[in-house]
Amino acid sequence: MSGTQAVTPTPVQLPKETPYAGKAGRRRGVAEVGKSPLWVRIVLALICIAWVVPTFGLAITSFRGQEDATTSGWWTIFTTPANFTRLTFENYSEVFTRANMGEAFVNSLAITIPATIIPILIAAFAAYAFTFMQFPGRDLLLIVIVGLLVVPTQVALVPLLKIYGTLGMNGTFPAVWLAHVGFGMPLAVYIIRNYMATLPREVIESAKIDGASHFQTFWKLILPMSTPVLASFAIFQFLWVWNDLLNALVFVGPGNNQPLTIALVQLLGQQGQGWQLLTAGGLFTMIVPILVFLSLQRYFVRGMTAGAVKG
Amino acid sequence: MTIKVLNALLAVLGGVAGAIVLYYLLNKLAELLPGKWEDRVKPYLYLLPALAAIGLYLIYPTIQTFVYSFANARSTEFVGFDNYINLLGSSGFQNTLFNTFLWILIVPAGAIILGLLIATLADRLKPKGEKFSKTLIFLPMAIGAVSAGAIWRFVYASNPPTQDQIGLLNGIVTGFGGEPVNWLQISGFRFNSLLLMVMLLWLQAGFAMVLLSAAIKGVPTETLEAARLDGAGEGAIFFRIVIPQIRTTLITVFITVLIGVLKTFDIVYVMTNGNFNTNVIAVDFFNQLFTNNNAGYAAAIVVMLLIIMIPVLVFQVRQFRAEEAAR
């Protein structure tokens, strides 16, 4: 890790801005510019349709009454006009009253937001120490963290359940917050450190010469400069925690504190009669992550490339 | 409900403020130490909270799980290798291992092929079309496996032949005059497992596509032009110029998807709960722990999962060290 390396980008295959991440069309890839034969467009259109149709079917079904949803396919609204005119918002109101999705939504927020925000600062401090400080055991600790990226978190569940059991923490929000903080920490430290390692070292050196302490350098220089990677980790963690079923089942379980994923699984369990509610519930569960994803997609992609391929 | 919202807000504020105060105090503590010691101790104090979280939530429980895997169902008595012997000897668990093996074999490779295909095709579109099609395919990443379960219910659903079909696949089959099929119950050639794998591919192909697409765009134009001048066809360019240059990314995608596959729980849990011969290791773990209340079996299963992961772990660490050396 020499000082000069940090200024000139390391030789990865990633350009700084891919057309996908922003500035469209500045640099074309392998293919020549503007050359898209008809078959390419057809094949891609077919793939896109195949990708969207399942979700589209769910969306349509969520507006169909119980009778319609269980006795005819969603596509019949295009062939049978009567089916189209019977579309209704009823499922959505019912999913709140009968399946208690409203409370589950609040629970999901209450679980996800702390579990997303709290690890960031902790990981950033650790990443700072790994990047800008010298100390014995640094490389070993870092390697342990890289190794833990691979370890499935299921490994931790049985002992944690027992510990939580003795502490009486099972079923509470802090139980699941702390679990997500712990489970997300290796990835957080890893991607934030990878990003910090690409920051120009001269800035830190000159701050040191000006007499700034590590604490000041961290708050005033490194943390603001790292906002992109902090944002991308936050999106990762948000989507992960919001969509998480396993830890929610293990540490929270069904009941008053259940998040949307558990509420939805219960709807999935009811064969037949609850299916139209399942669709409304499913769509409702997807809204927040999709909004987060679409509005912050650019950060997400950048973080992914930085985290997975290294920045 | 308002209490919960307040509670969550308090947790965010308390968590962040608490962390800030904690680091301030840790830093002050280090500054109290005489000169040299301050620099020696400070890094560890900065690392302390993160390492504590990792130690408490990952390292200690992993060791404890290892110990539990040699104990009985309620972790009260040691039973030696009994859990492992019983599990590996049961045909049910052998089946689970076989299914898991199929997932490992098919999904990462499938995600890479799909990702490469979509990335290469979209690369030829105009920027607007490229961005739009990529976003569509990437979107399931945000949807999550449980909602995907709801979505795919309406693809694989099957009604008795006397009724109209509400599942898309059976809608197509009966539309062509065929008999409806109970898709998720066909375990011959593990067909139902394959259908579940399709769901994971649907969720993850976008991830592979985005990373591979970025890598393909990073291939230097000069090498491509040189190859074209030498008269290489598009196929040769792709396999002999592009693929070797995006090797690192291919490996990264492969490993990331592989890790995801081994942890796969939600899809199988919500679609079949491991019935009809679709069980995988992560679902078996959950059911041993909560349905059978057998912590010993659950621990042994997860230790075996960890053992399967070891080659990946070794590879990942090696890769990391090579990258660090190149920095």
Side-chain angles (χ1 to χ4, degrees):
Chain A
M1 249 191 276
S2 68
T4 47
Q5 275 286 324
V7 190
T8 44
T10 38
V12 225
Q13 305 98 332
L14 295 171
K16 271 239 145 49
E17 286 273 346
T18 67
Y20 182 61
K23 306 222 175 69
R26 200 188 51 193
R27 153 88 167 81
R28 295 304 297 166
V30 175
E32 285 160 76
V33 187
K35 244 187 157 187
S36 65
L38 189 62
W39 70 268
V40 168
R41 276 178 274 171
I42 292 175
V43 172
L44 207 58
L46 287 177
I47 295 177
C48 285
I49 290 170
W51 236 254
V52 173
V53 160
T55 317
F56 185 69
L58 183 86
I60 301 272
T61 314
S62 73
F63 295 106
R64 305 182 75 207
Q66 176 177 358
E67 179 75 25
D68 280 4
T70 45
T71 55
S72 62
W74 55 265
W75 53 91
T76 55
I77 67 156
F78 300 110
T79 52
T80 319
N83 281 352
F84 183 79
T85 51
R86 280 204 298 275
L87 292 184
T88 159
F89 280 98
E90 210 172 282
N91 296 331
Y92 284 92
S93 57
E94 215 180 323
V95 97
F96 285 101
T97 52
R98 257 182 57 192
N100 224 351
M101 278 290 199
E103 190 174 19
F105 181 80
V106 172
N107 291 337
S108 273
L109 282 177
I111 289 171
T112 310
I113 294 173
T116 305
I117 306 285
I118 295 170
I120 294 177
L121 191 63
I122 299 176
F125 257 104
Y128 178 89
F130 277 128
T131 322
F132 300 112
M133 294 167 127
Q134 298 289 339
F135 55 91
R138 187 182 72 173
D139 293 346
L140 181 72
L141 284 173
L142 201 52
I143 280 173
V144 169
I145 286 175
V146 171
L148 285 172
L149 288 173
V150 178
V151 170
T153 53
Q154 276 101 334
V155 151
L157 298 184
V158 180
L160 285 179
L161 260 183
K162 297 199 186 224
I163 297 174
Y164 279 169
T166 20
L167 296 175
M169 274 174 80
N170 276 324
T172 64
F173 287 147
V176 72
W177 289 335
L178 290 171
H180 282 301
V181 171
F183 295 162
M185 196 53 67
L187 181 73
V189 175
Y190 178 68
I191 69 172
I192 297 173
R193 193 212 77 107
N194 275 352
Y195 185 86
M196 284 183 179
T198 63
L199 294 177
R201 282 191 161 245
E202 289 75 6
V203 181
I204 288 94
E205 295 298 327
S206 62
K208 210 183 248 169
I209 292 166
D210 291 345
S213 70
H214 276 301
F215 201 63
Q216 289 165 326
T217 316
F218 174 80
W219 282 109
K220 300 220 170 103
L221 277 175
I222 302 302
L223 204 59
M225 284 165 91
S226 307
T227 353
V229 76
L230 302 183
S232 62
F233 169 74
I235 302 163
F236 255 118
Q237 179 84 348
F238 184 91
L239 293 179
W240 198 67
V241 177
W242 185 275
N243 290 324
D244 163 69
L245 174 67
L246 181 62
N247 296 299
L249 277 175
V250 171
F251 296 123
V252 183
N256 283 337
N257 285 345
Q258 66 178 14
L260 283 169
T261 42
I262 296 187
L264 196 57
V265 163
Q266 285 172 345
L267 288 176
L268 273 159
Q270 309 174 343
Q271 292 294 331
Q273 80 277 25
W275 279 39
Q276 79 289 359
L277 295 186
L278 171 67
T279 57
L283 219 68
F284 183 63
T285 306
M286 283 154 48
I287 291 174
V288 172
I290 284 183
L291 285 180
V292 167
F293 178 81
L294 286 181
S295 53
L296 300 168
Q297 200 181 155
R298 170 192 298 233
Y299 283 117
F300 188 72
V301 171
R302 205 181 286 163
M304 228 167 57
T305 45
V309 189
K310 144 187 126 74
Chain B
M1 276 220 300
T2 16
I3 290 176
K4 275 182 190 161
V5 179
L6 281 176
N7 202 350
L9 282 176
L10 273 179
V12 172
L13 288 177
V16 173
I20 292 173
V21 170
L22 176 70
Y23 284 106
Y24 179 78
L25 290 177
L26 287 174
N27 190 60
K28 272 275 172 267
L29 191 72
E31 280 172 1
L32 287 179
L33 296 166
K36 242 185 172 173
W37 280 98
E38 180 186 334
D39 287 340
R40 276 189 199 159
V41 172
K42 207 181 252 180
Y44 298 106
L45 290 180
Y46 281 10
L47 285 175
L48 188 68
L51 292 184
I54 289 171
L56 202 65
Y57 276 88
L58 286 166
I59 295 174
Y60 162 75
T62 304
I63 297 167
Q64 191 62 262
T65 297
F66 192 71
V67 174
Y68 285 149
S69 74
F70 295 103
N72 63 6
R74 324 191 83 228
S75 317
T76 50
E77 218 177 292
F78 282 102
V79 294
F81 280 92
D82 279 7
N83 293 330
Y84 293 93
I85 294 168
N86 293 345
L87 278 171
L88 289 172
S90 84
S91 63
F93 188 71
Q94 286 168 6
N95 240 325
T96 303
L97 278 181
F98 181 72
N99 284 334
T100 309
F101 179 68
L102 283 183
W103 280 78
I104 295 173
L105 212 63
I106 294 170
V107 177
I112 283 182
I113 292 169
L114 264 173
L116 272 179
L117 176 75
I118 299 165
T120 331
L121 290 181
D123 198 34
R124 292 160 174 253
L125 293 184
K126 294 201 180 75
K128 251 192 187 158
E130 178 180 358
K131 189 164 193 248
F132 180 73
S133 51
K134 280 179 166 177
T135 303
L136 278 188
I137 287 160
F138 198 21
L139 203 58
M141 184 105 198
I143 287 176
V146 184
S147 304
I151 291 172
W152 285 79
R153 270 289 164 96
F154 288 88
V155 176
Y156 294 148
S158 124
N159 275 350
T162 47
Q163 292 172 21
D164 272 356
Q165 296 301 317
I166 61 169
L168 183 63
L169 273 187
N170 274 329
I172 295 170
V173 168
T174 51
F176 282 106
E179 285 285 297
V181 181
N182 209 337
W183 301 102
L184 291 179
Q185 297 185 12
I186 308 176
S187 63
F189 292 104
R190 296 294 193 279
F191 185 69
N192 46 8
S193 286
L194 280 175
L195 292 178
L196 299 181
M197 290 179 209
V198 168
M199 290 174 62
L200 189 59
L201 282 174
W202 181 77
L203 285 168
Q204 298 229 327
F207 165 81
M209 180 261 310
V210 166
L211 283 189
L212 293 170
S213 169
I216 290 174
K217 284 179 198 299
V219 173
T221 340
E222 301 83 59
T223 58
L224 302 169
E225 271 160 15
R228 281 205 184 96
L229 281 179
D230 289 346
E234 288 299 314
I237 288 178
F238 183 75
F239 285 105
R240 305 197 22 205
I241 313 272
V242 177
I243 294 281
Q245 294 199 58
I246 61 170
R247 212 180 120 252
T248 332
T249 312
L250 283 174
I251 293 170
T252 311
V253 171
F254 185 84
I255 289 191
T256 315
V257 178
L258 179 65
I259 296 171
V261 166
L262 284 171
K263 290 191 211 171
T264 293
F265 163 75
D266 339 35
I267 291 182
V268 179
Y269 180 77
V270 299
M271 294 304 279
T272 61
N273 194 15
N275 292 318
F276 317 117
N277 227 342
T278 55
N279 218 356
V280 291
I281 221 167
V283 175
D284 204 26
F285 159 80
F286 185 86
N287 286 333
Q288 290 292 357
L289 186 58
F290 290 102
T291 317
N292 300 349
N293 288 315
N294 195 329
Y297 277 8
I301 288 173
V302 97
V303 169
M304 285 190 255
L305 180 60
L306 200 59
I307 293 171
I308 300 176
M309 288 286 208
I310 285 176
V312 185
L313 193 149
V314 171
F315 185 85
Q316 175 95 342
V317 169
R318 272 200 187 160
Q319 188 87 357
F320 173 74
R321 296 182 92 159
E323 276 169 13
E324 285 306 294
R327 245 183 227 277

